[in-house]
Amino acid sequence: MGREVGRVAFTEEEYARFRVRLADCLAELGKVVARPGFGQVPSTLGAELELSLAGPDGRPVPVNAAVREGLGDDGLALEVARFNLEANLEPVPLRGRPFTELAAQASGALARITAWSLPRHGARAVPIGTLPTLTPADLTARALTDLPRYHALERAWARRRPAPFPLRVGEGEQGLLRAGSVAVQGAACSWQVHLTVAPDLFRPTYNAAQLATAPALAAAGNSPFPLGRRGGQESRIAVYEQGFGERAANGRGTSRPRVGFGHAWLRGGPLAAFEETVRGYDVLLPAVSSAGDDDVSPNGCPSLEELRLHVSTVWPWNRPVYDPLGHLRIEFRALPSGPTPLDMAANTAFLVGLTLSLAAEGRDVARELPFACARENFYRAARDGLRATLWWPSPGSAPRSHDAGALVAELLPQAREGLVTAGVDAAEADTVLHLLDRRTGSGRTGAWWQQRTLQALRRREEHARHAGRETTGRTATAPERDAVPPGPESGTGTRTPRRAERTGDGNTRVAGADRPDPLLGELTVRYAQLAEGASPVHTWNLPTFPRRSER
């Protein structure tokens, strides 16, 4: 999907030639999809794990190229910022124990990266949606990975929007930043899941994926601190959308965002999804393939290089994928990286199982819920996590709104049914979905743990300052109050939102947002150590320090 282009600058003639080739690819895809037997393959799951490299202070370490070269691992790809890597996992059959296998692969990749990079560069592999220690200064053009693809994207965006551009990561003045490079995408690491889908099932499955994404995202929040500010539970979503956003400029480009949830349900077959991508978005990387029209895979499917390259420069949260090996896939792009491989396996099981259940027997959820409701669900889930209010179809009546945590619990049996019907071992489905059930019931997502940990660290500072005043009589600077919103208490069944909990209180800046914050560094180090321990996030302890009354 993200193949190298080899060049940075292109001529207008090359843009025109690429558009012609792209139209040819689309026409050829229509013929391929219509072939008897195309895409009728056993279902598989694959995944791409994006991660950050962080040092002993929790700060980003820009050594991705050295790590990849040192490991000599073809499964590792260089991501947009110099401190990001992507581990491409081997696809596994959906039948059997796919989530255990994907978790094992992810664990192995993370361990190999850390084992090589820690002694040489002091850098650990950290699976997290947004590295808490990042500041705007870490994401300038100097942070861009030195590959022609990324420089070409940077150049293409310079044609489409002014620099620096606004980056809204929270509410109020402190939540509005300015960015000047697509390297800002280094603040958004995802766990991207690929599911093979037969052409005749593509439309209902794709629409089901769109609906299922919001409750899955609500349960998976792991990105509450974008660039030193406090954002939503999954602030990675907003960062990514704006980092690859664009405005019409100089008569070129389109005002439709290249990253987003979409604007309508899919109404046609799989070809319609690709037509939307080709006809709705102008070309960014017009690198015409040297392969001829007769370039085909061993099974006779054309490579369609231009189409695949163009699709890789449009980033919907659920993306159609054509593979010349002879099948179509849906790429689920909304889940965050981390906290652990077990957590990512649980998120995957819920999202995929719910998608399959919603699309069972050709059911098309587009008939049951206005698209605007599904879209609103997505952004509510990113902002509020398990405290979001989500719309859901109600057979025989109008859609109803639900508390996200309660809705996830209600949908878990459907997700299990979808998995078992698809051939996943019942014990496997029960094990991974139980992890999600425990996380949802306790409210202890990765975002919750990060927020509560920072709160505890600030309380420790307050205690130390108070003790210093009593000992020395000096007046200490008052700590920032309410540094993070309180999360749900472990084991509670009620989730009555306070205002700060619901909105993320983006008006309030995390202390030190314009420079590295030592407390966010300590938080990140604690997170990395716990992630390496592999226990799921709902079991992670919070830091404990003596309270004033315990002195």
Side-chain angles (χ1 to χ4, degrees):
M1 289 295 298
R3 75 172 173 87
E4 188 51 67
V5 297
R7 294 173 53 195
V8 173
F10 301 92
T11 66
E12 289 299 323
E13 181 181 354
E14 287 171 315
Y15 275 94
R17 184 182 174 207
F18 188 92
R19 292 185 189 101
V20 171
R21 292 286 293 266
L22 194 54
D24 292 342
C25 285
L26 197 59
E28 187 64 25
L29 178 65
K31 299 175 184 176
V32 173
V33 171
R35 289 181 187 174
F38 171 79
Q40 303 297 329
V41 297
S43 294
T44 61
L45 279 179
E48 304 163 29
L49 171 57
E50 297 175 344
L51 57 96
S52 294
L53 298 167
D57 56 357
R59 297 275 294 134
V61 182
V63 293
N64 62 356
V67 173
R68 184 180 186 275
E69 182 179 359
L71 285 171
D73 185 350
D74 292 339
L76 291 180
L78 302 180
E79 272 295 321
V80 63
R82 293 175 184 264
F83 53 84
N84 295 143
L85 279 169
E86 178 183 88
N88 293 280
L89 309 187
E90 289 292 326
V92 299
L94 182 59
R95 301 183 65 85
R97 304 180 66 207
F99 309 108
T100 298
E101 292 184 45
L102 288 178
Q105 287 191 49
S107 296
L110 292 167
R112 286 192 300 274
I113 293 167
T114 295
W116 192 92
S117 63
L118 188 59
R120 293 168 177 82
H121 301 288
R124 278 185 157 85
V126 183
I128 193 167
T130 297
L131 197 66
T133 52
L134 289 173
T135 69
D138 296 316
L139 297 166
T140 65
R142 293 189 300 275
L144 202 67
T145 294
D146 190 20
L147 287 178
R149 176 183 173 86
Y150 298 129
H151 289 298
L153 284 173
E154 186 91 310
R155 186 183 180 95
W157 246 268
R159 295 158 55 97
R160 285 164 166 76
R161 67 181 176 193
F165 55 90
L167 185 68
R168 170 65 69 181
V169 298
E171 296 179 1
E173 180 182 352
Q174 299 297 341
L176 181 62
L177 308 176
R178 298 187 72 77
S181 170
V182 296
V184 74
Q185 298 300 356
C189 289
S190 303
W191 164 254
Q192 298 159 7
V193 177
H194 291 248
L195 172 70
T196 56
V197 180
D200 58 320
L201 299 176
F202 195 88
R203 181 182 67 194
T205 307
Y206 185 86
N207 286 339
Q210 291 279 77
L211 180 59
T213 294
L217 185 64
N222 198 33
S223 314
F225 296 124
L227 303 181
R229 272 71 175 170
R230 282 193 294 118
Q233 301 297 287
E234 253 311 302
S235 57
R236 171 187 59 95
I237 298 295
V239 170
Y240 198 86
E241 289 197 355
Q242 295 171 86
F244 274 153
E246 65 174 306
R247 289 197 300 236
N250 301 323
R252 298 189 58 82
T254 173
S255 59
R256 180 181 296 175
R258 298 182 83 96
V259 183
F261 188 75
H263 64 279
W265 294 115
L266 181 62
R267 296 297 182 185
L271 186 61
F274 291 93
E275 288 175 339
E276 165 71 14
T277 302
V278 170
R279 294 169 181 165
Y281 301 94
D282 198 10
V283 172
L284 286 186
L285 302 179
V288 174
S289 171
S290 59
D293 294 336
D294 58 348
D295 182 51
V296 296
S297 64
N299 62 4
C301 292
S303 62
L304 305 185
E305 290 285 343
E306 288 80 11
L307 176 66
R308 293 163 63 210
L309 175 59
H310 180 69
V311 168
S312 79
T313 66
V314 182
W315 298 272
W317 291 112
N318 292 300
R319 179 161 66 179
V321 177
Y322 163 76
D323 194 315
L325 292 178
H327 63 260
L328 301 174
R329 301 195 299 270
I330 294 173
E331 181 185 15
F332 301 80
R333 300 176 49 80
L335 294 175
S337 180
T340 69
L342 281 178
D343 290 303
M344 291 184 282
N347 295 340
T348 305
F350 179 64
L351 177 54
V352 171
L354 183 57
T355 295
L356 294 174
S357 175
L358 289 170
E361 299 180 354
R363 173 187 176 189
D364 190 350
V365 296
R367 303 187 184 99
E368 303 174 23
L369 190 77
F371 184 81
C373 291
R375 189 177 189 278
E376 185 176 5
N377 282 354
F378 178 78
Y379 293 105
R380 285 182 177 183
R383 184 189 65 192
D384 301 334
L386 288 171
R387 294 181 179 275
T389 300
L390 305 180
W391 296 104
W392 203 253
S394 179
S397 62
R400 297 171 52 196
S401 63
H402 301 258
D403 172 89
L407 179 62
V408 171
E410 182 181 328
L411 294 174
L412 280 167
Q414 292 185 40
R416 181 188 186 277
E417 182 181 3
L419 294 176
V420 173
T421 301
V424 175
D425 287 352
E428 167 91 342
D430 289 338
T431 298
V432 289
L433 292 177
H434 177 68
L435 294 178
L436 193 79
D437 187 32
R438 294 293 300 275
R439 188 199 313 158
T440 303
S442 66
R444 290 173 169 260
T445 64
W448 181 92
W449 184 90
Q450 292 176 57
Q451 291 170 324
R452 278 300 185 91
T453 294
L454 184 60
Q455 190 178 54
L457 296 176
R458 293 220 187 285
R459 191 165 59 242
R460 179 193 65 186
E461 280 203 336
E462 181 183 0
H463 174 83
R465 278 191 291 264
H466 183 78
R469 284 197 300 269
E470 288 192 345
T471 302
T472 67
R474 292 178 298 183
T475 302
T477 302
E480 177 179 307
R481 298 184 62 82
D482 299 325
V484 295
E489 294 295 333
S490 175
T492 63
T494 60
R495 295 186 176 89
T496 302
R498 297 171 183 164
R499 184 175 182 275
E501 292 170 333
R502 183 178 58 82
T503 65
D505 195 18
N507 259 342
T508 305
R509 182 178 60 178
V510 173
D514 297 319
R515 63 187 186 280
D517 183 343
L519 292 186
L520 286 176
E522 184 175 346
L523 181 157
T524 303
V525 171
R526 289 173 179 268
Y527 175 103
Q529 291 170 343
L530 286 166
E532 288 177 5
S535 296
V537 70
H538 71 269
T539 68
W540 290 8
N541 291 325
L542 297 171
T544 56
F545 309 106
R547 297 178 181 272
R548 250 180 237 172
S549 60
E550 298 170 352
R551 295 195 322 268

